Structure formats: structure tokens, C-alpha cells
Amino acid sequence: MNFKDLSYKKKCQYLLGGALLLGVVAYMAAFNNTIRLYMENNVLEAKLERAAKAPSQVLVLESALEAIDDQLSYYIIDTLKNHETTLEIVSEFCFRNRLILKELPKKEVMEEEDFTIETSILSVEGNYKDLLRLVYELEQKHKIGRLSSVSFRLFKDNHLKKHILVLTIYIQNIRINNGDPIPGKSYEKI
């Protein structure tokens, strides 16, 4: 086969095929590495940008964690906020205000992997105003836990021929199972 004997159409086809083959070889040899390095550079620059912003993001996350810890600390059981303390506060309030503690606080426990939720249930009999003051004392002054439910029920005592108002309170506390009694107080900085 003589190259001079070929028509211009065939020569153009061979030239186009050669150019495509040269393009593929050039891409494989030079451009492929350049494009790969360009992509890696973009990824590394993005990581560098995130790393530069990391200290400020850590500060924001730490302040958010402290805010959550402050809110949660009212519901964490420590040595001062245990079941006996609840009983002591309620019985003292009942004695001072002539309320009747109908049921001693029962404790229900629900355990998860990292924490335990303890719910104390107590019932108190008396007038509405004093019962409402008891709720206020437990929730705002002593902060012995989260009052998850408060229920007033009116019963009629046929023997005494009067109505009796009974308050049922559900107080929840959280116990952390990992040994840290108050979360956030011993976290290490990143």
C-alpha cells in the first residue's frame, strides 16, 4: 500500500484515526495525571478551609453543649436530689401546710444503654391553692427534677360527705450510667 496512491478521503480518515489515537495516548500520558491532581487539590483545599474554621466551630459546639448541660443539670440525679430528698421536701411541705400525703413516692425505673430515667410518683390531698404551691415549690424552688405530669382529681367521699382534691405528681430524674454524674462537666476539649 502506497500512501501516495490513496485518495484524499482515505488520507483524511487515516489522519483523523491517527489524531484520535494520539489524543488517547496524550490523555493517558499527561492529561490524566493533571486532572487527577487537580481533583485531589480541590479536595485538599476544601479540607484545609474546614480545618481553618474548626476552632471557631469547636467553640460554638462547646457553648451549645454547655447550654444543654445547664438545662439538663436540673434533671440529673446527684447525691442531693435523690428519692429520699424528694420525700423529705414533700412531707415537710405537707406538714407546714396541713396537706395529707396520700401515697409515699413510688419509684419507677426505665433503663437505657447510657442513662436511666427514674420517675417518682406521689399523691397529696388538700385544697387547690396549697397543692398548687406544692407544685411551684417542687418545680421552681427546690428543682428536684422535671415535673413531667401534674394531675388534679376531685373525689367525693360519701362517708364524710365532702369533696376531696388529690394531686398526683410525676417527677422524672436522669441518671447517667457511664459514671459521669453530670454530663459535660468532665468532657475533654477536642
Side-chain angles (χ1 to χ4, degrees), residues 17 24 33 38-39 56 63 72 78 98 110 116 119-120 122 130 137 145 149 167 173 175 178 184 186:
V24 169
N33 285 338
Y38 176 76
M39 299 285 229
S56 63
S63 65
L72 194 62
D78 60 11
R98 295 189 179 120
M110 183 185 82
T116 302
T119 305
S120 297
L122 57 106
D130 290 334
E137 287 269 334
S149 178
L167 167 69
N173 288 304
R175 182 181 308 275
N178 66 2
S186 65

Side-chain angles (χ1 to χ4, degrees), residues 20-37:
L20 285 175
L21 184 62
L22 180 65
V24 169
V25 170
Y27 176 78
M28 297 299 274
F31 299 132
N32 189 21
N33 285 338
T34 304
I35 291 172
R36 184 182 50 82
L37 289 174

Side-chain angles (χ1 to χ4, degrees), residues 82-125:
N82 58 18
H83 191 67
E84 291 78 22
T85 305
T86 303
L87 179 60
E88 181 182 329
I89 291 170
V90 171
S91 61
E92 183 180 313
F93 186 88
C94 288
F95 178 74
R96 279 185 290 138
N97 294 289
R98 295 189 179 120
L99 298 174
I100 300 169
L101 186 59
K102 296 286 279 187
E103 292 181 25
L104 292 176
K106 297 181 283 185
K107 185 162 66 167
E108 294 180 1
V109 178
M110 183 185 82
E111 294 200 25
E112 292 290 328
E113 285 182 28
D114 298 335
F115 60 91
T116 302
I117 298 177
E118 294 182 2
T119 305
S120 297
I121 305 167
L122 57 106
S123 295
V124 181
E125 176 185 318

